[in-house]
Amino acid sequence: MTSLTQLINSRVNRRFRRLTLNTVITLYCLIMVGGVVRSTGAGMGCPDWPKCFGSWIPPTEVSELPLNYKEIYGAKLKGEVIFNPVKTWIEYVNRLFGAFTGIMIFVTLLASIPYLKSNTRSLFFYSLLAFVLVGLQGWLGAKVVSSELHPVMITVHMLLAIVIVFILIYLYIRSSYSEGKDGKITGEKSLINKISFLVLSLSLIQILLGTQVRELMDEAIRALGYEGRSAWIETLGIPFYIHRSFSVLVVVSNVWWINKINRSIAGESRIKEMGKACLAILGLEILTGILMAYFGVPAWAQPVHLTLAILMIGLQFMMWLLMNADRFSWNKEMVELREI
């Protein structure tokens, strides 16, 4: 292989790696914004889709709405027919972020086209899958609005977001992998992989439990209003206590898993650093949960709590990928694409 070909491949891979990383960051920002939408009750800030109150640019004043807007949108707004421009624009910004994320994933797909000519063509197909799924996510977003925030639709919407995060993380890790940089598991690898599966499963279950608690909170908000924020937690019942108690199992499993990893990898490793970050995020996650439970559910804490949960499961998935890189034969495939 000529030096010129190596240089071209190096640039292709560097561009793709940066794009996937930026797209992952953008997707996490979208999840954060989505959390803000739910915490502020702005999910129906735009009662129609893709337009908002029949316009491409949301209104800022009642005078910009149709005269009979209460009759047109009253049923979807659950009786909240007093126009709230703040909620409208929060939901609209969420949609804009969603569109921007779609553009980022499309650009990532374009950047993956050169891989079709190499033995790493699967990077293109995974990029294509992410693009198709983000289109499906947009369609689901429309269904969430048309179903008037049906709980099942919201949960499916969240699960698909996690799948897209995993695909983009896989693309980033695979395109940036370099042998010897992350250390190797020495001994007990089978056990550590089993614990990895357990940890990822528990994290996913906890996220789903949190989604159920959030749906119950929506009911509390409808019953008590935002003025009764301090009493929301008291109305959540058993699902909230299951979610809170389950966090103990999540903490114990993560500490056990990361301790096993640290003992099985000699020297410095990205996997170890990610493990430390994972425990730090888990600590912050517990802190935000305590703040919500005992300090009247601060509005800012809800989107932060959700984003931290998705960030943690993303890091766990990255760690599992790096620990099992040899199973995917990345060394052989990426040899032509490493930086010179």
Side-chain angles (χ1 to χ4, degrees):
M1 180 181 295
T2 65
S3 296
L4 178 59
T5 303
Q6 286 181 321
L7 180 59
I8 292 173
N9 285 337
S10 175
R11 288 176 176 174
V12 166
N13 196 50
R14 186 163 56 247
R15 179 171 62 247
F16 180 76
R17 185 169 65 246
R18 289 174 178 172
L19 272 171
T20 54
L21 178 60
N22 289 332
T23 304
V24 169
I25 293 171
T26 301
L27 186 53
Y28 272 109
C29 289
L30 176 61
I31 291 170
M32 171 78 82
V33 173
V36 171
V37 169
R38 294 208 70 189
S39 68
T40 56
M44 294 301 293
C46 291
D48 46 348
W49 195 97
K51 294 184 178 181
C52 186
F53 285 103
S55 301
W56 290 109
I57 303 297
T60 56
E61 299 177 357
V62 176
S63 60
E64 298 174 9
L65 293 169
L67 293 176
N68 60 338
Y69 84 93
K70 293 183 180 181
E71 299 174 10
I72 299 173
Y73 303 109
K76 286 189 174 183
L77 294 173
K78 305 290 186 181
E80 189 180 340
V81 292
I82 299 176
F83 174 63
N84 187 324
V86 175
K87 289 185 178 181
T88 294
W89 276 89
I90 288 174
E91 168 59 15
Y92 188 67
V93 168
N94 178 50
R95 294 183 183 185
L96 290 178
F97 244 102
F100 179 68
T101 302
I103 292 171
M104 287 291 293
I105 292 179
F106 179 66
V107 173
T108 301
L109 173 61
L110 294 179
S112 70
I113 292 176
Y115 291 123
L116 281 170
K117 299 178 181 179
S118 71
N119 57 0
T120 55
R121 60 180 60 88
S122 61
L123 290 176
F124 168 81
F125 293 111
Y126 276 108
S127 299
L128 179 61
L129 177 60
F131 180 68
V132 171
L133 290 181
V134 83
L136 178 60
Q137 184 77 323
W139 176 80
L140 274 175
K143 289 299 180 182
V144 168
V145 173
S146 64
S147 68
E148 300 176 20
L149 309 182
H150 192 281
V152 173
M153 295 302 297
I154 292 174
T155 300
V156 173
H157 198 56
M158 170 61 67
L159 283 173
L160 186 55
I162 294 174
V163 171
I164 296 171
V165 167
F166 278 10
I167 292 173
L168 291 170
I169 287 174
Y170 170 80
L171 290 171
Y172 172 71
I173 290 295
R174 185 170 174 184
S175 61
S176 63
Y177 179 75
S178 180
E179 186 180 18
K181 188 176 182 180
D182 301 300
K184 291 184 178 180
I185 301 291
T186 56
E188 296 189 296
K189 186 170 183 179
S190 177
L191 174 61
I192 291 176
N193 270 325
K194 290 177 182 177
I195 301 173
S196 301
F197 178 77
L198 174 66
V199 167
L200 283 164
S201 299
L202 292 177
S203 295
L204 182 59
I205 292 170
Q206 181 71 327
I207 289 171
L208 293 178
L209 288 173
T211 302
Q212 301 306 309
V213 170
R214 188 63 185 84
E215 290 163 6
L216 291 174
M217 194 172 291
D218 287 342
E219 296 178 9
I221 292 170
R222 284 192 289 270
L224 302 174
Y226 284 90
E227 298 78 12
R229 183 182 291 272
S230 60
W232 289 351
I233 294 294
E234 299 173 7
T235 69
L236 299 181
I238 293 177
F240 166 72
Y241 294 106
I242 292 174
H243 178 62
R244 187 175 68 177
S245 301
F246 200 79
S247 63
V248 176
L249 189 56
V250 173
V251 171
V252 171
S253 63
N254 271 273
V255 171
W256 179 36
W257 180 52
I258 293 169
N259 182 59
K260 283 285 186 183
I261 291 171
N262 289 338
R263 289 175 177 272
S264 299
I265 300 178
E268 295 299 319
S269 166
R270 276 197 303 178
I271 299 173
K272 286 184 176 182
E273 294 303 316
M274 289 178 186
K276 293 176 184 177
C278 203
L279 290 178
I281 291 170
L282 187 56
L284 291 173
E285 179 80 347
I286 293 171
L287 178 61
T288 54
I290 291 172
L291 288 173
M292 286 193 290
Y294 296 102
F295 294 91
V297 194
W300 62 267
Q302 296 177 63
V304 171
H305 192 68
L306 170 64
T307 306
L308 287 172
I310 308 298
L311 184 58
M312 185 177 70
I313 198 172
L315 274 174
Q316 292 166 345
F317 183 63
M318 290 174 74
M319 291 168 66
W320 176 79
L321 286 175
L322 290 172
M323 285 187 293
N324 292 276
D326 56 326
R327 295 172 57 186
F328 305 116
S329 302
W330 287 344
N331 285 341
K332 184 177 178 180
E333 290 185 355
M334 300 305 292
V335 66
E336 296 179 357
L337 299 170
R338 290 183 192 154
E339 295 183 8
I340 58 174

